[in-house]
Amino acid sequence: MNNPIEPYTLEEVLDAYIAASPTPSRVVLQEWIKRYPQYAQALTEFTIAWSQTEYFPENKNPQKDPNARLQIGMNIARQAYKQAVIANHRTKAQSRAPIESFFREGKQLGYSPDELARQLNIPVTVIRRIESHLVLIDTIPTGLIESFATTLQRPFGDISHFLKSRPDIPQSVRLKSHQAPKVAQQQNFFDVIRTDPTISEEQRTYWLSFETKKE
Amino acid sequence: MPETPSTLPQRILEPLTRRNLNGDVYKRESVVESQIISSIGLPDEGVIARAKISDKEAVGFLQEETLVYLIRESAQNQRQLVADILLEILLVRCQRQVDYRIRSLDSDLANEAYAEIMRKLFEKIFGAEGQSDYLQVRFWNALDRIAIDVFRQCNHRREQDEANLLSSPYTAGEETEEVKDEWEQILIGSEHLIPGESRWSSVERKALIEDALQVLGEPTRTAFILHYLEGWQIESKDPDEMTLSKYYQVTPKTIGNWLRKAKSDLKIWRGDHNE
């Protein structure tokens, strides 16, 4: 049973409500009012309208030209299409901003870190090492870089550009040592795969199979 | 060496991001995913040819959920010709369902309702991430929800317009005690309006009910539908139960009077019909 205080929108509740019963039902309405008391009035009004659409008689002067509505619909659809293309241009322009984190990019597409890892068939820990520039880019299989590009809906070049960029040391870090700061040493991708404690045996075997191909 | 289709990496579909009421991310039916995967690599003519298949059982048929995905994709890739044809195919498929939901509205209001339904539908189809998710999972439920909701708004407007023109004589006055007693007997005795009556097929029964309901005005007609056809109580001891009296915020006696008025109008209608 869902928690009624969870912030579901009315639209989400109504979408699920209409799927719960093939026809309007007083009994189902009662159940849903108990489950979502915050939407009691809206659920009731929706159910009444649903019943009215089932039983109200047909208007005696229906639309004469059956194609007229189709034309109205097409005009609205084309307008919506044009707006979508313009919005898409804007989004693409914004998405050209350089990648800062694979996880952040994935989140924008709705992937949790685990889901992203599943899509890429590598553990979260390995993704983290790659995005922290702790893996030598030349040792990363091309197929994996392609997978990043496809999954994150970015051009291949964007991914490789991010991987080639040098790890940043935050400007806010105060350095007390007389020696220059050292960035952790980069590792061969296959060494990371061999030693990662979280990787499954199937994944390990799969990725190590690229080692000979790479050489 | 050019890649053959079999060596091409499988394209990953635009993920769904919205969650259902159980907290799980919506999931497309596997058949929809297969249809999308097998369509997105096709040239424009191939996609159009598949979308034009109207036989649901035919190989290559594309469900409405798939069409929604392909329409979004064609907008993203600016394939206007494909988008235009897919939109028209989707509209034609929707027409019957939408017309059914708004059939009781007069033609001007029905046209307004139709346009509003289409606006809401396409706002979702072309909307930002997640907006079209439910349409890619349960298209017909999503469309029905939009259509009923728009009908509700239009019908409410119609009722308000009618209320401004006419004042109902059955809102509060003339309350009588014997409202409930005869009603059920008369309905049971009626050969026209018994729910589940076996001498009528469901289609005949529905047509007959619709015909009879023509003679009733509002709010009598809706109260009649809810009480006699949907089983709503006039009042209830259960404080959580939604009843006619509670919904209309009038006394049970007033509801009784509305139903009595409906009974009286239907008696006349039956007389006319039986002549």
Side-chain angles (χ1 to χ4, degrees):
Chain A
M1 183 69 66
N2 295 306
N3 181 347
I5 62 166
E6 280 187 45
Y8 294 113
T9 64
L10 173 61
E11 192 179 293
E12 287 166 337
V13 171
L14 289 178
D15 278 340
Y17 175 64
I18 200 168
S21 171
T23 51
S25 157
R26 186 178 57 87
V27 176
V28 176
L29 173 64
Q30 290 310 125
E31 286 169 17
W32 281 67
I33 286 178
K34 279 184 187 154
R35 212 185 289 181
Y36 301 100
Q38 69 274 39
Y39 296 133
Q41 184 68 18
L43 282 162
T44 305
E45 285 175 4
F46 183 83
T47 308
I48 290 172
W50 191 358
S51 296
Q52 289 169 330
T53 64
E54 294 288 344
Y55 291 110
F56 271 14
E58 186 169 345
N59 186 271
K60 285 184 174 166
N61 301 309
Q63 180 83 19
K64 284 174 192 161
D65 178 5
N67 289 325
R69 276 197 190 146
L70 191 63
Q71 204 47 55
I72 295 172
M74 274 311 287
N75 290 341
I76 293 168
R78 286 195 185 111
Q79 206 175 340
Y81 173 85
K82 275 182 197 161
Q83 285 170 353
V85 169
I86 293 167
N88 195 40
H89 269 303
R90 264 189 231 127
T91 310
K92 274 187 180 162
Q94 285 165 358
S95 69
R96 282 192 202 111
I99 296 170
E100 289 177 3
S101 156
F102 288 139
F103 292 112
R104 207 171 303 154
E105 292 285 319
K107 193 179 172 189
Q108 283 175 9
L109 296 169
Y111 294 121
S112 68
D114 285 340
E115 285 163 344
L116 181 64
R118 216 172 300 129
Q119 287 286 342
L120 295 166
N121 194 29
I122 50 170
V124 170
T125 46
V126 176
I127 301 175
R128 196 156 282 142
R129 287 189 75 81
I130 293 173
E131 81 160 17
S132 303
H133 307 281
L134 296 176
V135 178
L136 289 161
I137 181 173
D138 292 342
T139 65
I140 300 173
T142 311
L144 179 57
I145 300 175
E146 279 172 352
S147 287
F148 270 113
T150 314
T151 306
L152 300 175
Q153 297 173 16
R154 284 285 204 151
F156 185 90
D158 281 7
I159 305 292
S160 56
H161 182 262
F162 169 68
L163 293 174
K164 282 175 190 162
S165 62
R166 297 177 71 85
D168 289 335
I169 300 169
Q171 290 183 350
S172 57
V173 172
R174 294 183 65 187
L175 304 169
K176 293 183 177 176
S177 168
H178 295 293
Q179 291 180 333
K182 279 185 185 170
V183 176
Q185 202 170 0
Q186 289 184 311
Q187 273 187 294
N188 180 305
F189 172 81
F190 300 102
D191 289 341
V192 173
I193 293 294
R194 257 187 288 274
T195 55
D196 188 272
T198 64
I199 197 166
S200 70
E201 276 316 306
E202 289 81 13
Q203 286 177 324
R204 202 189 309 275
T205 309
Y206 175 77
W207 287 113
L208 289 179
S209 73
F210 286 86
E211 190 168 19
T212 45
K213 291 175 196 167
K214 194 89 187 167
E215 284 162 359
Chain B
M1 194 174 78
E3 283 182 309
T4 63
S6 60
T7 60
L8 280 169
Q10 183 180 307
R11 293 176 64 171
I12 295 171
L13 305 186
E14 186 184 17
L16 302 183
T17 55
R18 286 282 169 98
R19 290 177 187 276
N20 62 25
L21 298 186
N22 293 323
D24 303 320
V25 175
Y26 280 129
K27 200 172 177 319
R28 297 180 191 95
E29 282 182 20
S30 56
V31 63
V32 170
E33 296 227 322
S34 307
Q35 289 174 3
I36 295 171
I37 289 166
S38 60
S39 299
I40 51 180
L42 294 175
D44 289 0
E45 314 84 67
V47 177
I48 292 165
R50 283 196 68 176
K52 282 184 174 169
I53 298 172
S54 56
D55 178 2
K56 288 182 184 176
E57 306 303 321
V59 177
F61 174 78
L62 299 179
Q63 283 184 213
E64 295 71 26
E65 289 83 355
T66 306
L67 292 180
V68 169
Y69 185 95
L70 296 176
I71 287 168
R72 274 179 72 84
E73 208 222 11
S74 60
Q76 280 160 6
N77 299 322
Q78 295 183 51
R79 295 162 74 189
Q80 189 163 359
L81 173 71
V82 182
D84 224 39
I85 293 171
L86 296 185
L87 285 166
E88 190 170 349
I89 290 168
L90 188 67
L91 272 175
V92 170
R93 290 197 196 175
C94 293
Q95 191 86 12
R96 202 169 152 196
Q97 180 73 7
V98 174
D99 283 351
Y100 175 75
R101 289 293 175 209
I102 60 176
R103 72 192 186 288
S104 67
L105 301 173
D106 70 59
S107 56
D108 284 348
L109 198 55
N111 283 345
E112 272 183 50
Y114 178 82
E116 185 60 15
I117 292 165
M118 290 303 126
R119 255 189 294 277
K120 285 179 185 272
L121 176 67
F122 290 113
E123 254 174 39
K124 289 207 161 291
I125 289 179
F126 291 119
E129 178 195 287
Q131 289 279 309
S132 73
D133 284 8
Y134 196 58
L135 286 163
Q136 293 180 46
V137 177
R138 281 177 177 265
F139 178 85
W140 292 109
N141 280 336
L143 178 65
D144 234 7
R145 202 270 305 152
I146 294 170
I148 292 169
D149 211 35
V150 170
F151 168 84
R152 181 186 60 76
Q153 292 162 12
C154 290
N155 191 50
H156 181 65
R157 240 174 54 209
R158 175 175 68 175
E159 283 173 6
Q160 279 184 328
D161 288 348
E162 283 173 2
N164 288 339
L165 291 171
L166 304 164
S167 60
S168 169
Y170 287 92
T171 49
E174 296 182 38
E175 293 181 350
T176 57
E177 292 296 335
E178 76 279 8
V179 171
K180 205 179 169 188
D181 53 0
E182 311 175 48
W183 246 113
E184 286 167 1
Q185 285 177 15
I186 288 171
L187 265 185
I188 291 164
S190 163
E191 59 186 16
H192 300 295
L193 289 169
I194 304 169
E197 167 63 74
S198 58
R199 65 174 283 187
W200 305 97
S201 71
S202 60
V203 176
E204 286 172 331
R205 183 176 157 266
K206 193 165 168 54
L208 201 61
I209 290 170
E210 282 199 5
D211 200 12
L213 292 177
Q214 296 269 16
V215 299
L216 303 181
E218 285 298 330
T220 317
R221 180 165 60 175
T222 298
F224 178 89
I225 290 170
L226 296 176
H227 186 59
Y228 288 102
L229 302 172
E230 296 289 351
W232 284 45
Q233 302 298 305
I234 294 173
E235 57 185 326
S236 170
K237 285 177 184 169
D238 178 358
D240 293 331
E241 180 166 0
M242 184 55 74
T243 63
L244 290 174
S245 170
K246 199 187 284 184
Y247 173 70
Y248 284 107
Q249 297 183 334
V250 295
T251 65
K253 281 184 181 176
T254 298
I255 299 289
N257 278 339
W258 291 354
L259 297 177
R260 197 163 59 92
K261 159 76 172 153
K263 178 190 77 173
S264 151
D265 290 347
L266 288 172
K267 257 185 181 172
I268 297 166
W269 171 81
R270 280 207 310 277
D272 290 348
H273 254 63
N274 291 335
E275 279 169 10

